[in-house]
Amino acid sequence: MMKRFLMILVLGLLWSSNVFAESLQLICSGIGTGVSTSSVYDPTTGKTIGINSRKSTKASVTVSIDEKENWIQLPNILLPPVKKKKPGNKYDLYNLEITDKEISGKFKINIINKPSMTIDRYTGVMAMKGFGTTFDGQCEKVDLTEKKF
């Protein structure tokens, strides 16, 4: 009886793991807010002053999930001035959780900024929050087997 219970428990854990058998690519369009830095020269003091400001703009974020790698790709406007240089602004997703209701995870832009993202699987609404960065958008599944044009 105990062996049967343990077998059912182990099989249940294996089946409920976060392995995502199907490749999934999403494009999420919405409004993002990021920090931009500019320099202003002050002629009275002869110094250049750096100014940080928040800027909201339309943006698109891509999320890719498959068996081998999971990543998120951000536009430059959503990246802070200090960031790890990544080809194509693609950052690896970690702590990825995929449930029937949502997809959530984190990614590391720099040592301080580790944004989290959540995508509702029923509505397609994505929310991302990081240190000085936010994004709210609507996600659509991209079919990689068919060309759009």
Side-chain angles (χ1 to χ4, degrees), residues 9-19 98-99:
L9 181 65
V10 168
L11 289 174
L13 289 173
L14 287 173
W15 286 331
S16 68
S17 67
N18 284 341
V19 175
I98 302 169
T99 65

Side-chain angles (χ1 to χ4, degrees), residues 51-121:
I51 298 172
N52 289 334
S53 61
R54 293 181 61 75
K55 184 176 180 179
S56 293
T57 187
K58 289 182 180 180
S60 292
V61 172
T62 303
V63 177
S64 181
I65 299 169
D66 72 24
E67 294 175 8
K68 297 176 185 150
E69 61 181 352
N70 305 304
W71 49 264
I72 186 167
Q73 184 176 28
L74 303 174
N76 283 331
I77 188 67
L78 297 181
L79 293 172
V82 178
K83 61 187 174 278
K84 280 186 171 180
K85 296 229 181 218
K86 295 283 191 172
N89 295 336
K90 291 181 181 179
Y91 295 87
D92 292 332
L93 288 169
Y94 66 93
N95 290 350
L96 187 66
E97 289 189 37
I98 302 169
T99 65
D100 285 341
K101 186 178 185 236
E102 68 181 20
I103 299 169
S104 62
K106 295 183 130 207
F107 56 100
K108 182 178 177 180
I109 294 176
N110 60 34
I111 196 161
I112 297 171
N113 200 349
K114 299 171 186 161
S116 60
M117 66 96 193
T118 304
I119 302 169
D120 186 299
R121 294 186 72 189

Side-chain angles (χ1 to χ4, degrees), residues 37-52:
T37 303
S38 58
S39 299
V40 176
Y41 177 73
D42 186 353
T44 58
T45 62
K47 294 182 180 180
T48 301
I49 302 168
I51 298 172
N52 289 334

Side-chain angles (χ1 to χ4, degrees), residues 28-33 55-60 78 126 128 134-138:
C28 307
S29 301
I31 302 293
T33 303
K55 184 176 180 179
S56 293
T57 187
K58 289 182 180 180
S60 292
L78 297 181
M126 176 190 204
M128 183 190 81
T134 62
F135 177 80
D136 294 301
Q138 185 70 36

